[in-house]
Amino acid sequence: MLAARTGTVGGKNAEETLKLRKQSVLSLGSRERALKSSSESGKEGRARAGQPQQRARRLALLRELEMNWYLRVCELSHEYTIAYTTGMPHRNLGKSGLRVSCLGLGTWVTFGGQISDEVAEQLMTIAYESGVNLFDTAEVYAAGKAEVILGNILKKKGWRRSSLVITTKLYWGGKAETERGLSRKHIIEAPCIPSCIPLRGALHYLTHPWGFIHLSLLGLMQAPCLPIAFFVLSGLKASLQRLQLEYVDVVFANRPDNNTPMEEIVRAMTHVINQGMAMYWGTSRWSAMEIMEAYSVARQFNMIPPVCEQAEYHLFQREKVEVQLPELYHKIGVGAMTWSPLACGIISGKYGNGVPESSRAALKCYQWLKEKIISEEGRKQQGKLKDLSPIAERLGCTLPQLAVAWCLRNEGVSSVLLGSSNPEQLIENLGAIQASAGGGGTSTQWWATVQLPVRVTPACLGTSTLLLLI
């Protein structure tokens, strides 16, 4: 009886155990199904949540395709831009939005001095057709004549003003104390004479930047009046009259002025920009400390800071652009517009056997350049150029092209200003774009592997691996 009871109890336990096992299996299955359903619902939820993003991407892609098609139809796409058709790269001027060609044309020494007006027109035409949009001048160049020639060429060619970047510089405007420096008076001032002068009468003389001109020699005695856009004094308004423009894109302070407070300089530059006479302002030959002071004053009084510094930069002059300006570029966005990439023609190699009569160093007002060339330092530089010639030959470019392309390799350099005295020289220098882009079939970063006879500075290692120079 006890056994029977025990067996009965054991059977019941077995049945209950089976039931519990079945329930556990069912519960596990339901859990798996619940987890699976929850994961599927999560995926569906994420898919539903991602659908608006996918639609937004598709719409953005469609808009971009539609815009590209529209631009092609209107011939406004990248393939039709001057930068693309001419192969001339463009960069921002500092960290401003102004786009300038990597190479610009300067007018120092050449316009109104070393070359004729016809040659100047040829040079500007070649530069513009090659994609150059930056043309630089100053009120002091040829005592204002360079601005006159530049303005006449621009008016004659009829190029769109919006396609050009015209820059000028202020400091030396005349012999009087009030006609030089960076005072508010000199920066803004225009000549206190009417826009035209009556010529009714006998003999008339006008004060001219180069002296006095007898109007009868100009064949103008019978004219009722004479526009005097080029018979002007100093100041930005006077420069605009010489250039025959309503505004310049950038006005530079051509030197620091210790006699004028920095706040006055910055306020005057801000004024000419607010009045529409200039779009931006920059500095030339200023130290990094002076540029930073101008920036600080502008920020303190809610005025407009400078965007660019014009500095000499070539194989023999590197410290300022490579040591001082990079920090200003990264901190406050001041770029560099460099000039004299061939060191006044020294790097071209034309002074290797003396000073040619047609060269810049042969001019009377450039005896300092001649003395520098024939000095011991000049002879050392000529010797270093001989070491660079094989490198230029290996890269498939000329020595001047190598020098210009080397300047362009610096990330802080917005544009390099060229100074040419003949069309052949300008065309050769413009070829530096191909040299810097391809390096004669080598890598686009060809300068990274070029080993030149160089003294390396810390800034060089920070901005480029090109181990150059002298």
Side-chain angles (χ1 to χ4, degrees):
M1 190 172 180
L2 180 62
R5 287 178 182 175
T6 307
T8 305
V9 172
K12 288 181 178 180
N13 290 336
E15 291 177 359
E16 291 177 358
T17 303
L18 288 173
K19 288 181 180 180
L20 290 173
R21 286 178 180 175
K22 288 181 180 179
Q23 290 176 359
S24 63
V25 170
L26 290 173
S27 63
L28 287 173
S30 61
R31 285 178 187 174
E32 290 178 357
R33 285 193 297 273
L35 290 172
K36 187 175 181 180
S37 61
S38 63
S39 63
E40 288 178 354
S41 61
K43 290 180 180 178
E44 291 177 359
R46 287 193 296 270
R48 286 194 296 270
Q51 286 178 358
Q53 296 179 356
Q54 293 178 357
R55 291 196 199 96
R57 292 194 193 98
R58 292 195 192 101
L59 288 174
L61 181 60
L62 289 173
R63 290 195 195 97
E64 185 177 356
L65 292 173
E66 183 179 335
M67 180 59 67
N68 290 337
W69 172 83
Y70 178 77
L71 291 175
R72 285 195 184 95
V73 170
C74 299
E75 296 186 356
L76 294 174
S77 61
H78 178 68
E79 292 80 5
Y80 294 96
T81 61
I82 294 177
Y84 183 85
T85 56
T86 61
M88 175 64 67
H90 287 62
R91 298 177 180 176
N92 286 52
L93 185 62
K95 292 189 177 179
S96 72
L98 183 62
R99 299 284 288 178
V100 295
S101 53
C102 286
L103 297 178
L105 183 63
T107 60
W108 180 43
V109 183
T110 52
F111 281 43
Q114 192 177 5
I115 62 176
S116 63
D117 295 2
E118 291 75 17
V119 175
E121 182 178 347
Q122 292 178 18
L123 295 177
M124 287 193 62
T125 303
I126 293 171
Y128 186 79
E129 293 177 352
S130 300
V132 174
N133 71 349
L134 174 61
F135 299 93
D136 177 74
T137 186
E139 66 174 356
V140 72
Y141 293 171
K145 189 177 179 182
E147 290 181 326
V148 174
I149 296 173
L150 178 61
N152 289 338
I153 295 173
L154 293 177
K155 185 176 182 180
K156 179 179 179 181
K157 289 296 181 179
W159 296 325
R160 297 190 317 278
R161 179 64 183 91
S162 58
S163 68
L164 301 169
V165 177
I166 307 299
T167 68
T168 190
K169 296 181 284 294
L170 303 175
Y171 190 91
W172 291 289
K175 296 181 179 181
E177 286 296 314
T178 54
E179 294 175 344
R180 59 179 61 196
L182 298 176
S183 66
R184 180 182 176 89
K185 175 181 174 64
H186 177 228
I187 289 176
I188 302 173
E189 193 168 38
C192 298
I193 45 180
S195 60
C196 60
I197 293 179
L199 297 183
R200 302 178 184 88
L203 300 177
H204 295 269
Y205 292 86
L206 282 178
T207 304
H208 191 274
W210 310 275
F212 290 90
I213 291 184
H214 197 291
L215 296 185
S216 62
L217 299 178
L218 299 177
L220 297 170
M221 290 304 300
Q222 303 301 322
C225 62
L226 170 66
I228 58 160
F230 47 92
F231 296 110
V232 293
L233 302 178
S234 63
L236 181 56
K237 290 182 179 179
S239 291
L240 293 177
Q241 290 187 17
R242 283 191 290 268
L243 290 166
Q244 304 178 60
L245 298 175
E246 295 181 358
Y247 66 93
V248 292
D249 296 279
V250 187
V251 55
F252 287 95
N254 205 7
R255 284 287 191 284
D257 186 1
N258 297 326
N259 294 322
T260 304
M262 185 62 71
E263 182 182 346
E264 181 178 345
I265 298 173
V266 178
R267 284 192 183 279
M269 290 298 186
T270 302
H271 174 78
V272 298
I273 292 174
N274 291 336
Q275 294 298 314
M277 292 184 282
M279 300 296 177
Y280 305 87
W281 79 277
T283 58
S284 178
R285 296 177 178 268
W286 283 35
S287 66
M289 186 180 298
E290 290 164 337
I291 297 172
M292 185 57 93
E293 182 185 357
Y295 177 84
S296 301
V297 169
R299 289 300 180 218
Q300 180 181 358
F301 297 103
N302 195 26
M303 295 184 291
I304 301 174
V307 299
C308 182
E309 159 69 9
Q310 271 199 12
E312 184 179 5
Y313 185 47
H314 50 75
L315 298 177
F316 304 115
Q317 184 73 33
R318 304 174 57 187
E319 182 178 358
K320 182 175 184 179
V321 175
E322 294 183 355
V323 178
Q324 301 177 17
L325 294 185
E327 185 176 2
L328 293 179
Y329 173 73
H330 292 293
K331 286 187 175 180
I332 63 176
V334 172
M337 184 185 295
T338 65
W339 49 275
S340 194
L342 302 182
C344 295
I346 294 176
I347 300 178
S348 66
K350 62 183 177 182
Y351 296 119
N353 298 320
V355 179
E357 294 183 359
S358 60
S359 64
R360 181 178 301 182
L363 300 175
K364 292 182 179 181
C365 54
Y366 287 89
Q367 287 299 309
W368 59 269
L369 179 59
K370 183 177 180 180
E371 295 173 358
K372 181 179 179 181
I373 293 171
I374 63 178
S375 65
E376 183 178 355
E377 181 185 357
R379 289 193 295 270
K380 288 181 180 179
Q381 292 176 350
Q382 294 297 328
K384 292 170 183 176
L385 292 178
K386 294 179 181 179
D387 297 333
L388 298 178
S389 298
I391 298 174
E393 293 176 2
R394 177 160 56 87
L395 294 172
C397 63
T398 64
L399 190 56
Q401 289 174 343
L402 174 64
V404 176
W406 178 83
C407 294
L408 288 173
R409 113 280 182 214
N410 192 315
E411 65 171 352
V413 173
S414 301
S415 185
V416 176
L417 297 176
L418 305 175
S420 302
S421 58
N422 57 73
E424 294 76 18
Q425 182 183 0
L426 179 59
I427 293 172
E428 178 186 2
N429 293 343
L430 290 172
I433 293 298
Q434 283 71 33
S436 62
T442 61
S443 169
T444 55
Q445 299 295 324
W446 55 270
W447 55 71
T449 59
V450 175
Q451 299 292 330
L452 299 182
V454 189
R455 174 175 56 81
V456 183
T457 62
C460 300
L461 300 177
T463 58
S464 175
T465 54
L466 173 61
L467 302 181
L468 264 182
L469 189 77
I470 296 187

